[in-house]
Amino acid sequence: LVPFYVYPLAADKQPEVQQLIHLKKKYPDVPIIVIINPASGPGVKVDPNYVRVVQALDEAGITLVGYVSTAYGKRLEQEVIADLALWRKMYPPIQGIFFDEMLYDDNESAVAKQL
C-alpha cells in the first residue's frame, strides 16, 4: 500500500511513478495498491497531470484507490458519497476508496453515532 501524496509531473519522467512501475514489472505477482490524493479527495475538477499518472499506473497493472477524508466522522454522509461519485467520474481507473481520518473512540456509543 503506497500513499502517492506528491503532485504528479510528467508521468514518464517522474521518479516516483517510474519506480512504482519498475517494481510492478520486477515483481508482477506482488499486489501494489497506490492511494491517489489530488486534494484530500478527488478535487473539484479533473487534473490532467493526475489523469496521466493514473493511466500510467493502471496500465502497469497497479491497483489504484482514491483518497476520501471523513474528517474524523464530522463530514456529512452525503459529502462522502459525493466524493465517491466524483472519483468514478473524474478518474475512472480508480478501483476502490481509502477512507482516512476515521473517528476512533473505543466505545459502542461512538460507533453507533457514526452509523
Side-chain angles (χ1 to χ4, degrees):
L1 182 62
V2 179
F4 187 83
Y5 297 170
V6 296
Y7 186 76
L9 306 170
D12 60 334
K13 294 183 174 92
Q14 185 155 3
E16 296 89 352
V17 174
Q18 292 308 305
Q19 185 177 21
L20 287 168
I21 291 170
H22 170 75
L23 285 170
K24 186 61 180 172
K25 287 179 181 176
K26 188 173 180 178
Y27 305 102
D29 295 332
V30 175
I32 297 176
I33 302 168
V34 174
I35 304 167
I36 303 295
N37 186 13
S40 293
V44 293
K45 64 179 185 169
V46 175
D47 184 324
N49 291 328
Y50 273 100
V51 169
R52 285 188 288 276
V53 165
V54 164
Q55 182 178 1
L57 295 173
D58 182 53
E59 288 173 358
I62 293 170
T63 301
L64 302 163
V65 297
Y67 178 99
V68 171
S69 167
T70 68
Y72 301 98
K74 293 184 177 117
R75 286 188 74 203
L76 297 174
E77 180 181 354
Q78 302 92 304
E79 293 173 347
V80 173
I81 290 171
D83 274 356
L84 302 179
L86 281 173
W87 273 114
R88 186 170 292 165
K89 178 182 176 185
M90 295 166 56
Y91 304 99
I94 297 296
Q95 298 174 24
I97 297 296
F98 176 79
F99 293 100
D100 197 12
E101 298 178 339
M102 298 296 292
L103 176 67
Y104 174 76
D105 201 338
D106 195 15
N107 67 59
E108 221 172 287
S109 64
V111 172
K113 194 165 64 174
Q114 292 304 299
L115 302 175

